[in-house]
């Protein structure tokens, strides 16, 4: 029997969109630690190049930063050309760009009798601009990079795609209808594409992170004045059986597993990495 390891990831080329973000950086570190060559594809070119340079030095690794917008196919195609020239054919893809926006967030969890004079705080006050932006970033921003960056995998008849979903894809969280619907669509698309590509050697899976304090949700889970948890932050910890927020590094193991040949008969699944949140009914 062969030794169980992530050795098959050594020397492979992986693209990670949104790779300069909080979760992205942690996943890039996991990948380079097993010898994967990584292209961080991010809208924020300066940050992508800076993160790539720091990680290259720290891990003596091959890591580059490339600018692209996950919502523009031409920009992704230009990035692919650059990556192919520098690193070679792409064998792995992580769709990590995504996030929520205050413009697509209601101020109240439920519409109560007392709020009827302030409908702007509820569903009725949501701005379509914010709704469209969040839905596009999370859904179209997963679909388009997959269309572009899996082409080399198609030629090789081998590859692995990892989408980053969210806990709210199973049950919507209050206040964030656009983000919840978009991540539910990411799960659905993960299953659809896994079936579509199963016979040409490309696997498609996802991880669904639970709760991590990062840039996109800080305004919801921390109290600006005290720096402690907001009421919502407390609710999350109370409903997470492990009793804490996760650390982005907690996603590393499940992500490497789904990218590697260790999961070679696994496609179309979404793994929750959530301290038990999804399993708990609250009672
Ligand atoms: P982040 O905001 O720290 O990083 C997101 C990165 O994506 C940034 O570097 C940003 O520049 C980049 N980006 C934004 N728009 C882009 C575009 N149009 N094209 C290319 N790059 C773009 O976010 P994060 O917390 O690291 O989240 C990463 C992923 O994990 C997202 O899909 C997010 O929805 C998901 N997620 C996060 C949490 C959490 O608690 N933070 C929980 C569940 C799921």
């Amino acid at each position: 029997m062969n030794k169980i390891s992530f050795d098959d990831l050594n020397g492979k080329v992986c693209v990670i969109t949104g790779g300069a973000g909080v979760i992205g950086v942690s996943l890039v570190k996991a990948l380079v630690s097993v010898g994967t060559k990584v292209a961080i594809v991010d809208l924020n070119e300066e940050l992508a190049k800076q993160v790539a340079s720091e990680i290259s030095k720290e891990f003596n690794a091959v890591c580059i930063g490339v600018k692209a917008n996950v919502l523009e196919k031409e920009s992704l195609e230009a990035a692919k050309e650059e990556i192919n020239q520098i690193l070679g054919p792409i064998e792995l893809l992580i769709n990590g760009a995504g996030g929520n926006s205050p413009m697509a967030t209601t101020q109240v969890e439920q519409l109560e009798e007392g709020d009827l004079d302030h409908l702007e705080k509820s569903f009725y006050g949501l701005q379509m601009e914010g709704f469209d932006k969040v839905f596009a970033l999370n859904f179209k921003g997963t679909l388009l990079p997959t269309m572009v960056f899996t082409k080399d995998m198609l030629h090789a008849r081998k590859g692995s795609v990892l989408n980053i979903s969210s806990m709210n894809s199973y049950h919507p969280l209050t206040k964030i209808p656009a983000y919840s619907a978009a991540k539910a669509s990411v799960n659905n698309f993960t299953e659809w594409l896994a079936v579509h590509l199963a016979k040409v050697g490309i696997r498609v899976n996802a991880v669904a992170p639970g709760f991590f304090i990062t840039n996109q949700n800080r305004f919801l889970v921390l109290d600006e004045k005290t720096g402690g948890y907001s009421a919502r932050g407390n609710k999350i910890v109370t409903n997470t059986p492990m009793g804490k927020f996760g650390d982005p590094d907690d996603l590393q193991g499940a992500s490497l597993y789904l990218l590697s040949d260790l999961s070679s008969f696994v496609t179309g699944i979404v793994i929750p990495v959530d301290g038990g949140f999804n399993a708990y009914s609250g009672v």
Side-chain angles (χ1 to χ4, degrees):
M1 189 183 126
N2 291 335
K3 183 169 72 87
I4 298 287
S5 75
F6 291 126
D7 282 353
D8 65 284
L9 295 175
N10 188 12
K12 281 194 176 151
V13 175
C14 180
V15 165
I16 174 164
T17 70
V22 178
I23 287 177
V25 168
S26 174
L27 294 182
V28 174
K29 287 182 176 174
L31 285 162
V32 297
S33 77
V34 295
T36 308
K37 299 176 196 166
V38 180
I40 295 175
V41 170
D42 205 288
L43 196 56
N44 188 337
E45 182 177 19
E46 201 184 328
L47 190 61
K49 288 197 184 312
Q50 183 195 321
V51 167
S53 148
E54 284 168 10
I55 290 181
S56 301
K57 279 185 206 130
E58 185 184 341
F59 291 82
N60 193 22
V62 180
C63 183
I64 61 170
V66 180
K67 181 186 168 86
N69 183 346
V70 292
L71 300 176
E72 289 173 7
K73 202 171 178 198
E74 301 75 43
S75 116
L76 293 163
E77 278 163 347
K80 178 178 182 294
E81 219 173 288
E82 190 179 335
I83 294 163
N84 284 160
Q85 272 172 17
I86 303 173
L87 300 181
I90 296 158
E91 295 153 289
L92 307 163
L93 168 66
I94 300 179
N95 284 307
N100 187 35
S101 157
M103 269 204 297
T105 303
T106 62
Q107 289 173 48
V108 293
E109 291 190 352
Q110 290 183 291
L111 190 53
E112 313 251 1
E113 283 293 332
D115 298 320
L116 292 179
D117 290 336
H118 301 284
L119 286 181
E120 71 283 358
K121 292 181 174 175
S122 74
F123 165 69
Y124 300 97
L126 284 172
Q127 299 165 39
M128 282 321 295
E129 190 195 342
F131 211 99
D132 287 347
K133 219 174 126 186
V134 169
F135 206 87
L137 176 61
N138 291 282
F139 182 63
K140 193 175 158 195
T142 296
L143 186 141
L144 274 183
T146 307
M147 225 176 237
V148 173
F149 293 124
T150 55
K151 283 282 170 65
D152 297 339
M153 303 181 201
L154 203 52
H155 292 307
R157 299 286 190 280
K158 185 170 167 61
S160 183
V161 177
L162 180 71
N163 296 329
I164 310 290
S165 181
S166 168
M167 213 14 63
N168 59 43
S169 62
Y170 304 104
H171 305 289
L173 299 184
T174 55
K175 293 189 169 183
I176 52 174
Y179 186 59
S180 297
K183 289 300 191 185
S185 74
V186 167
N187 289 14
N188 192 279
F189 176 60
T190 300
E191 295 181 340
W192 185 87
L193 195 65
V195 172
H196 193 68
L197 298 179
K199 294 209 163 129
V200 292
I202 303 176
R203 298 184 298 109
V204 188
N205 291 293
V207 285
F211 296 91
F212 304 83
I213 300 177
T214 55
N215 301 334
Q216 62 165 302
N217 63 11
R218 202 173 299 274
F219 73 100
L220 285 172
V221 299
L222 292 183
D223 185 319
E224 264 178 47
K225 287 177 198 135
T226 65
Y229 294 145
S230 62
R232 192 177 178 85
N234 271 319
K235 219 177 190 178
I236 289 168
V237 172
T238 308
N239 282 283
T240 300
M242 289 190 184
K244 59 179 185 179
F245 278 86
D247 184 293
D249 290 355
D250 291 331
L251 291 164
Q252 292 175 330
S255 301
L256 289 188
Y257 162 71
L258 289 175
L259 287 170
S260 78
D261 289 347
L262 286 182
S263 60
S264 57
F265 196 49
V266 176
T267 196
I269 69 158
V270 184
I271 298 185
V273 182
D274 65 347
F277 182 90
N278 193 46
Y280 186 41
S281 70
V283 179

